[in-house]
Amino acid sequence: MDLNGKGSLLDPLLQSSENVTINMAQAPRRDDFKTRKIRFKIGGISCASCTASIELVVGAKEGVESVMVSPIQGHAEIVYRPEIVNAKMIKEAIEDMGYNVDEFQDKSISVCCIRIKGMACTSCSESVERSLLMVDGVKKAVVGLALEEAKVHFDPDITNPDRLIEAIEDTGFGANLISSGDDVNKVYLKVVGIHSQNDAVLIQSSLEAMEGVNHVELDPVGQKVTVTYDPDLTGPRSIIHCIEEVGQSPGLFLVSLYSAPKPREMERQHQVRVFRNQFLWSCLFSVPVFLFSMVLPMLPPYGDWLSTKIFNDLTVGMLLRWLFCSPVQFIIGWRFYIGSYHALRQGSSNMDVLVAMGTNTAYFYSLYVVLKSLTSRSFEGQDFFETSAMLISFILLGKYLEVIAKGKTSEALAKLADLAPETASLLIFDEGDNVIAETEISTQLLQRNDVIKIVPGAKVPVDGIVMSGQSYVNESMMTGEARPIAKCPGDKVIGGTVNENGCIVVKATHVGSETALSQMVQLVEAAQLSKAPVQKLADKISRVFVPAVVVVALLAWLGWLIPGAAHLYPRTWIPSGMDEFELALQFGISVLVVACPCALGLATPTAVMVATGKGASQGVLIKGGSALEKAHKANSEHPISKAVVDYAKKLNSKYDSINDRVMDAKDFKVHPGAGVSATVCGKAVLVGNKRLMLASNVLISREVERYLTETENLARTCVLVALDGEVSGALAVSDPLKPEAGQVVSFLASMGITSIMITGDNQATATAIAREVGINTVFAETDPVGKAEKIKDLQGKGLTVAMVGDGINDSLALAAADVGMAIGAGTDVAIEAADVVLMKSNLEDVVTAIDLSLKTLSRIRMNYVWALGYNILAMPVAAGALFPFTGIRLPPWLAGACMAFSSISVVCSSLLLQSYKKPLRVENFLNPMENGSPV
């Protein structure tokens, strides 16, 4: 950050957690491809004629727009149309000329999110994931069962979202695009006045000609326009103004915002409606079947008419049960046939296979009984139509309740997304920077560099910097910090927070998807989609679960059929109206339908969804399931931050300096762990520690040495300044401890976690600070590489290490640690490298992150105990293990009900994490120098 405090205004407050390069402007569009640029490094170019021949050959290829080759550096820059030619073909054309193409440069990777419909268990998600990974150009694919989404990283030169959707649909699941890399900033507009195709073409061509507009989608019938744009170049108001000025006369087109569709919520509501309607239709047919088979026959004389024979042994009751059951089996239950077909076609099996096998066995055996009764006067057999109908009904009820429960797991995330206010007060200035008007506009219309007024009690609409006024801002909804934070000119404010008492004027620095609130939502969504390592257990079990269940069901059927046929058990065991074959068949069907792979698949992702959402609301932003799982094992480390810019500003103000101009620094260079160097006004400037001075051959006088010793003994860090090779000044920087540091270290120790300090400061300063907070192990005078090496040494001893840091110097160590925790007020580099972001910059949240990890892992284990325990206990009961001793038998329809409610119980178990409370609260610490200041 430069001295005037403006250098970081354009830097996002939170960075994306993705570790791939995403070129938003070059991401593919669903309807068509435009030009794309690729750079190659070509070996073997010896003269200008070589470049000319390459440009001639490559330029002649169809689809290549332009070619530029540098004969000195050997770099080629090619613009091409990817729907005609791709980068691989261009590379091969150059290699065919006898040149070596050593590497691709600036290769773009695009990302898209796809909604997947119809996944029931882990086998389904694994099947989709395998299909996506088999698509050419796909680099990474993650499918989340609980979210019912896939996030795919792909090479836009080779494939596009349409092909990815086709791959998903080929596996038997519905799919639609949620978002792609090019729709990070979108505005949705309603345009009244489009009466002809010419009007539509006029609007679309005008918008596409605008600088900063990336993509335009126009629906003439619905009179809707969706525009994707670059916020650095344009904004929503400019786009609206462009449309309004297009017509032959002003006012021809009336433009307004309309609410953007929320595909996730729309799909969830659609699923709720579908399962509810299917369940109700199923009940309409299943309840009569149940009454005709289980209730009325037990209530003579009301059920006597059901025994009336129609022809031979075919009764009225049997015929009615058949007629009412068939729509349930083949119309309402058709979804299970489709799911089974696609699963088996992919060489896998899922819950649909088990349901289809169980219901088909019951239905077709019952149909055999009907046909036999129709053709025989002496046949005695019992139909199981109620088993098929009731089983499907209970499973649909379970799926309906499961969808409702799963929707509640993301409630915390939905609350975060709704924090931003709907409107904002925009100030309009004249050329003399005087306010001439104030207007209330939609928050969606705000653009970068807009100036807005925020009155007491109003929400901050977007991220920005305070230009004038003073107030206290409640950031609890974003960071969990209950105490209002003082804000004055130059301070940053976060969108979604509440201005408490003063009126402030704020300049917008981040709008749309760039705000901290939007990025927090994106990071939590990415975390919910990622798989925790413990999920691998469920994945392994799911691969063999269904085949194993089928084998057990077959054994149960044979285990009862053979002894029954051989009269090895008493005839009295067989219920009235059945024979030994039918009894064995019921046991086999019960085993098929009682087994529940869904509960296993939901055990981990639902808990992770609830925990990440709850953590975000508490100010702890967890970027993935892996970090959430490993955090509970962690040792911790706390390097100390440094700050001098504020002190320089105070001195400037104290001595009434009116020169706010910052001198340009040339040849600026960072020396990790030591300091910086630059050329300012023709002079070589060094700012850093003693190690930097010695490495740069700067002599240190006895006077400076004495000052160094004195400051270090006072637990202060000494920063030396050298001009043209001579020490010209020194700063003693004191970093007051965060008031909660001692309590946090003590609490961690009570949890069995060892705290270690590793810092670039001198040994004396580091030891004094460590002693004050109760840390026994200190590694001082350590550069960034050394920090990472120390962490690897600890890991080599079998320890799991968490690193808490806030600076650029910490980024290597944050990446090297098992769990990296970045202070939210730290640098963007540190935040990007970390797995967990502590939004409040409060160390007590280190305890919160670790404790939340413990609670979540405990909940996941409990979910697995329940899911596995349910299957281990329910399958023997369904197979009839208790029947010989107690007479207890699990009819197939009741087994289906048990299976359906086991999934609901796992989701409800995960929802208990919503009641999580912080284990440590350190409040009422009054320390205005919390970030440190020079002495």
Side-chain angles (χ1 to χ4, degrees):
M1 182 173 176
D2 54 22
L3 293 179
N4 66 0
K6 297 180 181 179
S8 63
L9 295 188
L10 297 180
D11 299 330
L13 298 180
L14 284 177
Q15 294 285 355
S16 170
S17 64
E18 303 298 337
N19 56 1
V20 295
T21 302
I22 306 172
N23 190 331
M24 299 298 185
Q26 295 181 355
R29 303 184 176 102
R30 295 202 64 189
D31 299 329
D32 63 292
F33 283 97
K34 293 189 177 181
T35 58
R36 193 173 302 284
K37 183 187 294 182
I38 191 73
R39 294 182 177 90
F40 295 122
K41 185 177 180 181
I42 304 175
I45 296 178
S46 58
C47 59
S49 63
C50 296
T51 64
S53 62
I54 293 173
E55 289 176 348
L56 181 65
V57 172
V58 177
K61 287 189 72 68
E62 185 181 3
V64 174
E65 298 287 322
S66 66
V67 185
M68 291 188 297
V69 183
S70 167
I72 299 175
Q73 296 177 324
H75 290 182
E77 185 176 282
I78 302 153
V79 178
Y80 63 98
R81 298 185 67 84
E83 75 273 21
I84 301 174
V85 67
N86 59 39
K88 183 179 180 183
M89 296 165 62
I90 297 171
K91 176 177 180 286
E92 290 173 350
I94 300 173
E95 290 175 337
D96 289 342
M97 297 174 65
Y99 299 99
N100 296 322
V101 181
D102 295 329
E103 62 182 32
F104 288 88
Q105 294 187 340
D106 295 322
K107 190 174 182 65
S108 64
I109 297 294
S110 293
V111 181
C112 70
C113 288
I114 301 173
R115 165 70 65 180
I116 304 172
K117 306 173 186 176
M119 292 193 300
C121 60
T122 307
S123 297
C124 302
S125 61
E126 280 198 318
S127 177
V128 174
E129 200 167 284
R130 284 196 302 270
S131 298
L132 286 170
L133 291 172
M134 290 172 64
V135 176
D136 289 340
V138 171
K139 305 300 180 183
K140 179 183 177 184
V142 180
V143 178
L145 174 63
L147 274 179
E148 297 182 319
E149 289 180 13
K151 191 167 190 176
V152 188
H153 303 261
F154 62 95
D155 184 346
D157 295 328
I158 301 176
T159 190
N160 60 42
D162 281 335
R163 294 172 192 165
L164 300 176
I165 289 174
E166 287 175 8
I168 295 172
E169 290 175 342
D170 285 343
T171 62
F173 300 98
N176 59 277
L177 188 68
I178 297 175
S179 65
S180 60
D182 62 345
D183 60 4
V184 173
N185 288 283
K186 265 189 177 182
V187 61
Y188 300 86
L189 302 174
K190 178 80 172 178
V191 182
V192 178
I194 302 177
H195 301 300
S196 66
Q197 187 64 31
N198 289 337
D199 291 340
V201 172
L202 181 63
I203 291 173
Q204 183 148 357
S205 59
S206 299
L207 288 173
E208 289 177 342
M210 276 189 70
E211 184 182 17
V213 171
N214 296 332
H215 186 51
V216 179
E217 295 177 12
L218 195 146
D219 174 16
V221 178
Q223 296 193 329
K224 294 178 181 179
V225 181
T226 303
V227 183
T228 306
Y229 63 93
D230 183 346
D232 289 329
L233 301 175
T234 189
R237 295 203 308 281
S238 302
I239 293 169
I240 291 175
H241 181 72
C242 174
I243 298 175
E244 291 175 339
E245 294 297 314
V246 161
Q248 296 177 351
S249 60
L252 180 63
F253 299 117
L254 300 177
V255 188
S256 60
L257 289 169
Y258 79 91
S259 299
K262 297 180 179 179
R264 210 176 263 119
E265 181 60 23
M266 288 172 60
E267 180 59 28
R268 192 185 73 82
Q269 291 178 357
H270 173 71
Q271 283 187 333
V272 169
R273 287 195 301 270
V274 167
F275 281 117
R276 181 195 62 200
N277 292 340
Q278 287 187 339
F279 169 67
L280 293 177
W281 277 108
S282 179
C283 287
L284 184 65
F285 293 96
S286 299
V287 170
V289 174
F290 179 75
L291 292 174
F292 296 153
S293 62
M294 306 292 288
V295 178
L296 291 178
M298 306 298 174
L299 299 173
Y302 304 105
D304 292 347
W305 61 278
L306 293 171
S307 302
T308 304
K309 293 183 179 181
I310 300 174
F311 186 80
N312 289 337
D313 282 340
L314 180 65
T315 64
V316 172
M318 195 178 295
L319 180 63
L320 288 176
R321 289 192 290 271
W322 178 32
L323 293 176
F324 275 93
C325 177
S326 295
V328 179
Q329 180 71 33
F330 297 110
I331 299 176
I332 299 170
W334 185 249
R335 60 181 297 118
F336 301 112
Y337 288 97
I338 297 295
S340 301
Y341 166 73
H342 288 291
L344 295 173
R345 195 184 70 169
Q346 296 291 323
S348 62
S349 51
N350 58 15
M351 186 199 75
D352 291 334
V353 174
L354 294 179
V355 174
M357 288 183 66
T359 56
N360 276 327
T361 303
Y363 180 86
F364 284 106
Y365 173 75
S366 301
L367 182 60
Y368 161 77
V369 171
V370 170
L371 296 176
K372 191 72 175 176
S373 299
L374 184 64
T375 58
S376 174
R377 293 178 179 273
S378 59
F379 176 75
E380 292 184 4
Q382 176 68 36
D383 65 86
F384 301 131
F385 286 121
E386 80 283 352
T387 294
S388 169
M390 295 298 292
L391 178 58
I392 290 175
S393 297
F394 274 117
I395 290 173
L396 290 174
L397 174 62
K399 297 301 291 184
Y400 169 59
L401 297 176
E402 182 184 317
V403 170
I404 294 175
K406 281 164 66 176
K408 295 183 181 296
T409 61
S410 56
E411 278 186 352
L413 185 61
K415 290 178 182 177
L416 276 179
D418 293 337
L419 283 178
E422 294 183 358
T423 61
S425 297
L426 176 68
L427 299 181
I428 302 173
F429 297 83
D430 61 15
E431 295 180 357
D433 289 338
N434 299 310
V435 178
I436 58 173
E438 177 181 332
T439 180
E440 187 172 0
I441 66 170
S442 169
T443 301
Q444 298 177 52
L445 295 178
L446 288 177
Q447 301 180 180
R448 186 175 290 170
N449 296 323
D450 279 345
V451 178
I452 51 182
K453 186 174 85 171
I454 305 170
V455 298
K459 285 186 177 181
V460 179
V462 293
D463 296 354
I465 188 167
V466 178
M467 305 299 292
S468 64
Q470 295 185 354
S471 183
Y472 283 85
V473 175
N474 186 342
E475 299 181 346
S476 61
M477 63 287 298
M478 285 287 292
T479 66
E481 174 61 66
R483 191 174 49 195
I485 308 299
K487 300 292 181 181
C488 57
D491 290 338
K492 291 181 179 180
V493 290
I494 304 173
T497 56
V498 178
N499 179 32
E500 291 217 332
N501 50 15
C503 181
I504 53 176
V505 174
V506 173
K507 184 176 182 180
T509 57
H510 304 91
V511 296
S513 63
E514 295 179 335
T515 64
L517 179 60
S518 295
Q519 291 180 36
M520 179 184 289
V521 171
Q522 292 168 26
L523 289 174
V524 175
E525 286 175 345
Q528 292 180 345
L529 194 59
S530 68
K531 289 185 179 180
V534 72
Q535 176 69 22
K536 293 177 182 177
L537 172 63
D539 293 344
K540 291 178 181 177
I541 294 174
S542 69
R543 295 188 186 104
V544 298
F545 186 86
V546 174
V549 170
V550 174
V551 171
V552 173
L554 184 62
L555 293 175
W557 175 62
L558 292 174
W560 281 96
L561 177 62
I562 295 173
H567 305 291
L568 297 180
Y569 59 79
R571 177 70 187 176
T572 55
W573 286 11
I574 301 176
S576 175
M578 288 190 190
D579 58 20
E580 59 272 3
F581 174 83
E582 293 168 345
L583 178 63
L585 186 64
Q586 284 229 348
F587 283 126
I589 294 173
S590 295
V591 171
L592 280 176
V593 298
V594 81
C596 186
C598 305
L600 284 170
L602 294 171
T604 295
T606 53
V608 169
M609 283 179 67
V610 177
T612 50
K614 189 65 178 178
S617 67
Q618 298 275 357
V620 178
L621 191 57
I622 301 167
K623 293 186 182 179
S626 178
L628 186 64
E629 180 180 337
K630 290 188 290 187
H632 77 284
K633 307 173 182 178
N635 290 323
S636 64
E637 174 272 335
H638 174 222
I640 303 174
S641 63
K642 304 168 179 67
V644 294
V645 174
D646 290 342
Y647 188 69
K649 289 180 179 178
K650 290 177 183 178
L651 288 178
N652 201 36
S653 175
K654 180 179 180 181
Y655 293 105
D656 298 326
S657 172
I658 59 173
N659 183 14
D660 289 331
R661 186 175 65 86
V662 178
M663 299 177 184
D664 291 333
K666 300 178 180 179
D667 303 323
F668 184 84
K669 185 177 180 181
V670 176
H671 303 270
V676 297
S677 63
T679 301
V680 181
C681 297
K683 294 187 176 182
V685 179
L686 289 172
V687 181
N689 56 22
K690 180 180 178 181
R691 188 165 67 249
L692 176 64
M693 300 300 154
L694 295 177
S696 304
N697 297 320
V698 175
L699 295 177
I700 299 177
S701 65
R702 291 183 179 178
E703 183 182 3
V704 174
E705 285 279 11
R706 185 167 59 252
Y707 182 75
L708 280 169
T709 303
E710 291 174 356
T711 55
E712 289 174 358
N713 290 336
L714 294 173
R716 296 172 181 172
T717 300
C718 190
V719 179
L720 301 176
V721 180
L723 298 177
D724 289 336
E726 294 184 1
V727 176
S728 59
L731 294 172
V733 182
S734 173
D735 288 302
L737 286 170
K738 285 186 174 290
E740 71 275 10
Q743 287 199 28
V744 169
V745 171
S746 175
F747 197 92
L748 289 173
S750 69
M751 296 172 69
I753 297 171
T754 304
S755 298
I756 298 171
M757 177 185 289
I758 182 167
T759 177
D761 281 349
N762 63 79
Q763 187 68 49
T765 302
T767 302
I769 293 173
R771 188 184 306 115
E772 187 174 345
V773 297
I775 295 177
N776 298 322
T777 306
V778 180
F779 299 108
E781 300 180 20
T782 310
D783 61 17
V785 175
K787 290 181 180 180
E789 289 177 348
K790 289 290 185 184
I791 286 175
K792 290 177 182 177
D793 290 342
L794 292 170
Q795 291 169 331
K797 297 176 182 178
L799 299 174
T800 302
V801 182
M803 160 81 181
V804 184
D806 62 355
I808 293 176
N809 290 348
D810 300 322
S811 58
L812 283 177
L814 287 168
D818 294 286
V819 179
M821 299 186 185
I823 301 294
T827 65
D828 296 326
V829 177
I831 291 173
E832 186 173 357
D835 301 296
V836 178
V837 180
L838 309 180
M839 294 296 297
K840 288 193 303 182
S841 303
N842 194 323
L843 291 180
E844 72 181 55
D845 284 338
V846 174
V847 175
T848 301
I850 295 172
D851 186 66
L852 181 59
S853 168
L854 277 168
K855 296 291 193 301
T856 304
L857 198 63
S858 174
R859 182 59 54 183
I860 290 173
R861 285 171 178 159
M862 188 176 294
N863 288 349
Y864 275 128
V865 167
W866 167 250
L868 286 171
Y870 161 80
N871 283 289
I872 291 171
L873 293 175
M875 287 174 66
V877 174
L882 299 180
F883 186 64
F885 312 106
T886 63
I888 294 176
R889 182 172 61 90
L890 201 61
W893 63 269
L894 185 57
C898 293
M899 184 269 282
F901 283 96
S902 66
S903 296
I904 301 169
S905 65
V906 167
V907 177
C908 292
S909 171
S910 296
L911 285 172
L912 292 176
L913 284 170
Q914 290 279 21
S915 61
Y916 174 79
K917 302 293 184 184
K918 288 186 175 185
L920 176 65
R921 287 188 177 272
V922 184
E923 298 176 345
N924 301 322
F925 284 96
L926 301 176
N927 192 338
M929 308 297 288
E930 193 163 298
N931 290 324
S933 63
V935 174

